[in-house]
Structure formats: C-alpha cells, structure tokens
Amino acid sequence: MTVVDDILAEKDFEKIRKETETNYREYLNPFALRMFKNAGLDVIEGRREGACVWDISGEKYIDCVTGAGIFNAGRHNREITDALKKALDVYDMGGWISIIRERGLLAKKLAQITPGNLKYSIFCCGGGEAVEVAIKLARGHTGKTEIICMENGYHGVTGFALPATGREVYKKPFAPLTPGYIHVPFNDLDAVKSAITKDTAAVLLEPVQGEGGIRPADDSYLAGLRKLCTENEILLIFDEVQTGFGRTGKMFCAEHSGVTPDIMVLAKSMSGGLYPISCAVFTEEISDFLYSHPFIIINSFGGTSLACLTALATIEYIEKNNLPERAVQMGKRFMEGLLALKKNFPELVVDVRGKGLMLGIEFPEDSIGPRMACLLKKNGVISIYTFNNPKIIRIMPSLVITEEEVDFVIDAFDKSLKEIRAQEAGRNMKGAGK
Amino acid sequence: MATSDEIMEALADFKEQCNGNKRLRRMQRDWTKVLHYAAVDTGDKFTMTVREGEILSNEKGAAGTPDVIIEGESETLCNMFWGDINPTQMYLKGEIKVKGTQEDIMRIDAITAIIWPEV
Ligand SMILES: Cc1ncc(COP(=O)(O)O)c(C=O)c1O
C-alpha cells in the first residue's frame, strides 16, 4: 500500500471536496479558488472519459475547454494509457545526457507528419518552453535579435516566451523582460512589413489565435507573411500549441493555407493528456546552429522515453481514428448550431467563428463571457472565456466528441442564452419601473 | 434604494478599510485607476481615485476620465462597499455591469476578499 492507494480509495466526495478546497486555500492559490467558485467552475475532476469529465460527486459535464487543447484524443484515452503503462513496465524516463531510441523515433515521426521541410526536433515539457526554444533558434540561426509578434497573442509565461505574449497584464509585474520583441496587430500584413528592420530575426504567431479570442489568420495573410519572411531572410514561426494535432481539421493548422513555417511549436495534445511533452520542429538549415552549439538548448525532462512513447501512441491514435476529419465533421455540426443561435439571439451573439473544433462565440460585452461560463456549467457544459478576450467563449472539446454530445452542447448554449436574455429583460423592467 | 449620502458613507468606510490594510496596500500597489460608480436606479454617480493601491478620494459626480465604470442599483453598490455582497457574484448575475477590463473586476473582488474574507 502506498499513499496513492490511500488517495484513490477515498470515495466520500464531500470529504474530498472539503479537503481539496482547504488545500487550495491554504497551500495553493486562495484567490484562484474564490474565482473558480464565484464562476461556478468549482468542478473537482473525478472520472474523465471521451469528451466528458465527472465531478467527484458524479455530476457529468462535456468538457469544452480541454485545458485549451490538451485532450484532442479524448479524456483519459484508454489506448494511450495502456501504451504508457507498457512503457512504464519497461523503462524509466531515461537520462537526458544519453542516447534514447524513442526520442529518435518520435523526431522521425514528427518530420514525416509536419508539413514541408520541417525536419529536426528539440523536445521540452511545456508550450512556453518550446516557444523559448524557437526564439533561441531564430536568434542563434539568424544572428539577429528582433522578434515580431502579435497583439493579443499568447505564447506562455516563461522567460523568452512571456515577452512574446501580447498582453501587458501578464508582463507588467515582472519587468524588465528580455528585450527585442515588437507587437503588431494580428492579420495585418502591412503592420508586419512596417515593423521589419535589419535586426528582425523572426515573425511569431498562432495560425488561429486561441487566448486572443479564437481568431483564425487569413490564408492570404499567412502566404504574404511567408513571402515577406523569405525575401527578408526572416524566420516564420507558427505556434501550433493549441491548433496542432488535428484540432482545426488538419493534422496541423498550417496545412489549411499551404504555408510552411521555418519553425513549428507543438505541445498540449502531443502529450495525449497523459505525459507532458512539447517541441520545436525546424528545418535542416536551422539545424546548422546545433553543429556549433550542440549542448546549449537543453533540459532534463524534455523528450524522455516515457513522453516520446506516449506521444507516438497519441499520434498513432489520432491518425488511426482520423481525428482531423472528425474535427471537420463535428465542427460543421457545431457551426450549424452556433449560426442558428446567432440568428435566434441577435442581441447576444455577435459572431461565431473558428476552424474544425477550435470554435468561439463572441458576445457584445465582456461580462457575458464569464456569465455564460457560469450558466453553461449549470447546463452540463464546462467552458471558459478566452484569457485575452473575455467576450469570447471557446468551444474546444475533445475530437472524439459524438454527434449527440455536440447537440447537447448547443442545447446548453441555447438554454444559457435564454437565461441571460431573461436576466437582462428583468433588469430592464426593473429600470423602467423606477 | 440607497441615497447618495448613504453610498458616500459606505465609500468612506471602504476607503478607511482599504487604506488601513497594509497587506492590501502592498498587493495593490500597481493599481492606479479612476473608477466611476453609477447607480442606475437613482442616476447618482461617484468617482473614486486610486493611486498605487491607495484610495485618494471619493467624490459625488463623475469627474475625470474613468478607467473603469461600474453600474448597479444604488442598494447593490452600497452593499458592495459595506462588504455585504461579493462583487464578482453580482457581476456574474448581471447585477453589476463593469466597463473596463476583466482584471479590474478581479482586483475589486480581491480587495473585498482581503477585507471581508467571509463574503
Ligand atoms: C498558443 C499557445 N502557446 C503557448 C502556450 C504555453 O503553453 P504552456 O502553458 O504549456 O507553457 C499556450 C498555453 O495555453 C498556448 O495556448
């Protein structure tokens, strides 16, 4: 018997809830707990399966957040779990200063499935860390310093990634940050053109801005960026942390536009939702930097045996079940439902947009995003507004979501919007009566 | 319904509580804002000026350019400044409207969480 047996054996959910809330309050982040509770998002995750998560009390929800794209292959995917279990029976993580077979196999697989001439990989654990690698490679390879990034972009909060994130609130308390980052409006080619200098090393962007409010870049914009970068010997970096691994209806979002970046950043769903791993995949030309500097972009836990085997099993699962195509089909079904909501609630739904199963619904004011999240939970759906733009609720379920579950989510949106409409009407009547 | 004097009284207490709380002042030291409060039922307006976490003044009327506008029934605003209600819960019910950023509403909630942890 270990501590794990004891923890997993506890079934008294009231006791678990109390203990967990106390631990959050006393040892983690008391204000975050308060925010979760205020927003009605105080689900303590118990069982997880497919597109669903159950609160420890047994209440079932459809998870439309999925950790912003961690669980493309489904919550607690059994096949991938079994693969990881097998790996655990044979291996530990593996040493970082040693040669690991699984690391090579995964790098080769990524070279095969990523678009164009992307070929070499450096592995890390989190998305932010992989963005850092991309920026270091860009500076190291080009010998130039400036990184052009996008307003409202999100690339994580670690050292070299944080300055790229396009919102002051994440950065202000930690100044001074690494210099050399310039932010321009998203989807505006002229803005990038004007920002380019002789020192520009790279342009970094998400092909669909996630936290910025589910905003897809236009194909023509991406093609324009590609041309601009090539002409000026600037690297193009796509952060596909949220959009990768089938989310938008292709294995990688870059495939929609046919534009291949010089570096692609991957994380989240690469882990199968089971074992953290992330990476920067880049061209052979950029890999030249590694000849002169083979051991300066390093870490202890990136690309371990266990992580690589899990990632290989995840990719196999995504390919075998053709999850990108599933994202297209289910995305279509969602979009039909969302467009109907837009028609039925014109005063509340300003826009619906997205690609595949990376969808957003925009409301006319900030407060409606958080209010909707609250009501959706009451109606059996977990969703949350995008961090850089609370007007938008994201819909990013697991790609294994069924048609019935899609319809359930649309119905939950319908009910929640009706409640908002009733709240607003109640207030207007109160106002008129005064 | 709360009168404008009643709201001013609640605001004065709120100011005293905030400014007298060392922990809060340290936490909020990067918060410099002009806030307007508008009572939608009575039409009364108030201006709160905060500099580096210190509430410098509360005045009747809407003065200066606000960073944040908070609207609600006079009673709701009054209760909020007395610490009788949780502002985020009111916000999420649509009882309080905030024009400004999500961070600012969280800051206001953080202030009340420190002064009145049980609310
Ligand atoms: C587009 C994008 N890039 C990078 C990151 C950072 O990833 P991580 O939180 O794993 O560091 C995120 C996280 O949500 C993201 O959405």
Side-chain angles (χ1 to χ4, degrees), chain A residues 65-72 241-242 244 247 267-270 396:
Chain A
V65 182
T66 57
I70 297 173
F71 301 102
N72 287 6
V241 168
Q242 287 201 26
R247 169 61 55 191
K268 300 259 189 205
S269 267
M270 190 175 172
M396 286 180 67

Side-chain angles (χ1 to χ4, degrees), chain A residues 398-416:
Chain A
S398 290
L399 310 187
V400 300
I401 193 168
T402 64
E403 290 175 357
E404 294 71 34
E405 286 165 337
V406 171
D407 297 346
F408 181 92
V409 173
I410 293 291
D411 191 49
F413 267 93
D414 185 65
K415 283 184 190 145
S416 305

Side-chain angles (χ1 to χ4, degrees), chain A residues 31 34-35 37-40 167 169 172-173 365-367 370-371 374 385 387 390 423-424 427 430-431 434, chain B residues 1 30 41 73 86-89 91-95 97 100-103 106 109-110 112-113 116-117 119:
Chain A
F31 193 61
R34 179 178 161 111
M35 297 309 292
K37 286 177 79 75
N38 274 342
R167 197 144 174 261
V169 63
K172 214 171 131 202
E365 53 172 285
D366 280 6
S367 77
R371 284 163 71 188
C374 226
Y385 54 85
F387 276 12
Q423 286 174 359
E424 296 297 305
R427 191 183 6 270
K430 255 204 271 183
K434 287 264 154 69
Chain B
M1 196 162 83
D30 60 345
D41 50 343
E73 303 250 323
N86 173 321
T88 300
Q89 278 174 8
Y91 174 69
L92 290 171
K93 283 190 199 143
E95 302 274 331
K97 295 263 182 192
T101 67
Q102 190 67 11
E103 281 74 43
M106 284 202 280
D109 195 46
T112 59
W116 304 292
V119 174

Side-chain angles (χ1 to χ4, degrees), chain A residues 54 81 104 140 149 158 199 227 260 301 336 396 400 417 429:
Chain A
W54 284 254
T81 304
C149 357
T158 51
D199 296 321
K227 190 161 172 278
T260 305
F301 295 138
E336 281 163 20
M396 286 180 67
V400 300
L417 285 164
M429 269 178 58

Side-chain angles (χ1 to χ4, degrees), chain A residues 210-274:
Chain A
E211 298 312 319
I214 316 292
R215 296 178 60 205
D218 297 336
D219 286 352
S220 60
Y221 169 67
L222 295 177
L225 280 182
R226 179 65 280 175
K227 190 161 172 278
L228 202 57
C229 286
T230 306
E231 283 168 4
N232 292 279
E233 296 186 353
I234 293 168
L235 300 183
L236 181 60
I237 308 173
F238 281 0
D239 177 340
E240 292 233 21
V241 168
Q242 287 201 26
T243 52
F245 297 100
R247 169 61 55 191
T248 68
K250 301 267 185 200
M251 190 55 122
F252 300 102
C253 189
E255 295 167 41
H256 290 287
S257 61
V259 170
T260 305
D262 301 290
I263 308 177
M264 188 184 268
V265 180
L266 302 170
K268 300 259 189 205
S269 267
M270 190 175 172
S271 67
L274 289 163

Side-chain angles (χ1 to χ4, degrees), chain A residues 264-375:
Chain A
M264 188 184 268
V265 180
L266 302 170
K268 300 259 189 205
S269 267
M270 190 175 172
S271 67
L274 289 163
Y275 202 106
I277 184 164
S278 64
C279 73
V281 193
F282 45 96
T283 60
E284 185 152 14
E285 201 187 336
I286 297 172
S287 79
D288 285 351
F289 179 74
L290 301 180
Y291 277 88
S292 38
H293 306 88
F295 292 120
I296 62 166
I297 304 181
I298 46 175
N299 60 54
S300 304
F301 295 138
T304 60
S305 292
L306 301 173
C308 291
L309 288 171
T310 308
L312 282 163
T314 304
I315 295 167
E316 181 181 63
Y317 184 89
I318 292 172
E319 286 183 327
K320 201 172 65 188
N321 293 281
N322 201 356
L323 293 188
E325 178 53 26
R326 199 169 171 79
V328 172
Q329 296 309 326
M330 294 303 114
K332 235 189 227 161
R333 196 175 180 96
F334 257 119
M335 198 44 102
E336 281 163 20
L338 292 175
L339 285 169
L341 292 175
K342 183 167 182 264
K343 192 157 159 254
N344 296 340
F345 298 90
E347 81 284 18
L348 290 175
V349 180
V350 173
D351 191 23
V352 295
R353 57 174 177 261
K355 266 192 157 85
L357 279 174
M358 186 164 181
L359 299 161
I361 172 162
E362 178 164 351
F363 306 110
E365 53 172 285
D366 280 6
S367 77
I368 299 183
R371 284 163 71 188
M372 277 297 287
C374 226
L375 292 167

Side-chain angles (χ1 to χ4, degrees), chain B residues 16-32:
Chain B
E16 208 177 298
Q17 299 248 22
C18 290
N19 291 354
N21 190 315
K22 253 185 155 164
R23 183 176 164 214
L24 190 59
R25 290 283 294 279
R26 190 179 61 240
M27 282 165 44
Q28 300 290 97
R29 68 178 186 275
D30 60 345
W31 206 51
T32 295

